[in-house]
Amino acid sequence: MALYENDIVKVVNELRLKGYSDDFVIKDNLICSSSLNRKFGEEDVIIEEGYQFDIIENAFDTQFVFAVDIPKYELRGLIIDLLGVYFYAEDESVSRILRKAPLVTYIFDDHDPYLKYGLKKISPSEFAANTNRYVLRIGFPDFPECPVGVAFTMLGFDEQAQEYIWLYTSILNDSRLKKIKYKTN
């Protein structure tokens, strides 16, 4: 289904108005509903449409939104993959069904090549120039608010400036990127 918008934030809002009200995440190779707090296998799920957002200034920054239907529970919602983590996960069968979904591609002029969702963007060349400065934080409770209405699950962090940043998607697969998971006491 074609949409009227090409900005991911506006697309999410448009899909919410069309009844895709639940938020889904992928955990343990299952699709998890935030409203029901229940996990579903790929046999329960229909990926009705996928939306790919390519940023014109850099093909390394691709994001996805998937419209999900679980007919048995009359549940519709979205998988919002801001970092492409779900889409590009190679060993997950759920990722394979995302890649099989029909994709509508939008080219979005980001207008500001230096900011993403209010966070400074770090390019692959900036990262390569100082790999020890930037880390990927996973599950930290102090992440800033996400403009698409779901919580960030991971974000880049500039250890020198002590602030959250946006890492280009290609950096996430770089073996030099240090990944730090939040630990509760």
Side-chain angles (χ1 to χ4, degrees):
M1 112 185 71
L3 300 173
Y4 294 108
E5 302 292 348
N6 72 345
D7 175 317
I8 192 169
V9 175
K10 293 176 181 175
V11 162
V12 167
N13 291 335
E14 183 176 340
L15 288 168
R16 297 265 189 240
L17 290 171
K18 292 179 185 239
Y20 295 92
S21 56
D22 203 346
D23 291 313
F24 294 99
V25 295
I26 296 176
K27 291 182 187 173
D28 304 321
N29 205 22
L30 297 168
I31 294 179
C32 305
S33 161
S34 63
S35 68
L36 292 181
N37 198 21
R38 184 176 176 147
K39 296 179 181 178
F40 301 96
E42 57 186 289
E43 67 279 357
D44 299 317
V45 176
I46 297 170
I47 306 295
E48 294 183 330
E49 193 86 54
Y51 303 93
Q52 176 178 334
F53 300 87
D54 288 327
I55 309 303
I56 62 172
E57 92 276 349
N58 193 322
F60 296 114
D61 202 14
T62 300
Q63 302 166 349
F64 301 90
V65 174
F66 296 94
V68 177
D69 184 22
I70 303 179
K72 183 176 177 181
Y73 292 89
E74 297 180 359
L75 191 60
R76 293 172 70 199
L78 302 174
I79 294 175
I80 300 171
D81 192 2
L82 294 178
L83 299 170
V85 174
Y86 301 145
F87 189 81
Y88 294 114
E90 292 181 18
D91 298 331
E92 304 290 331
S93 61
V94 172
S95 295
R96 285 191 293 276
I97 68 168
L98 296 179
R99 289 192 294 270
K100 288 179 187 175
L103 275 179
V104 177
T105 301
Y106 293 95
I107 305 299
F108 177 63
D109 183 353
D110 213 6
H111 301 298
D112 190 339
Y114 306 107
L115 289 177
K116 180 75 155 197
Y117 304 129
L119 302 170
K120 179 182 176 190
K121 283 172 42 174
I122 302 302
S123 69
S125 61
E126 287 175 285
F127 174 74
N130 196 348
T131 58
N132 293 323
R133 178 176 177 170
Y134 307 107
V135 299
L136 182 69
R137 285 187 168 185
I138 303 167
F140 276 67
D142 65 339
F143 288 151
E145 190 173 320
C146 178
V148 296
V150 296
F152 286 116
T153 57
M154 62 180 93
L155 272 177
F157 190 77
D158 181 336
E159 293 195 317
Q160 181 178 326
Q162 291 293 299
E163 64 186 10
Y164 283 104
I165 54 168
W166 186 266
L167 296 171
Y168 278 84
T169 307
S170 63
I171 297 171
L172 300 178
N173 295 324
D174 192 310
S175 62
R176 298 171 295 174
L177 179 63
K178 183 177 171 185
K179 298 173 181 170
I180 303 170
K181 291 186 179 182
Y182 182 76
K183 293 180 180 140
T184 57
N185 294 335

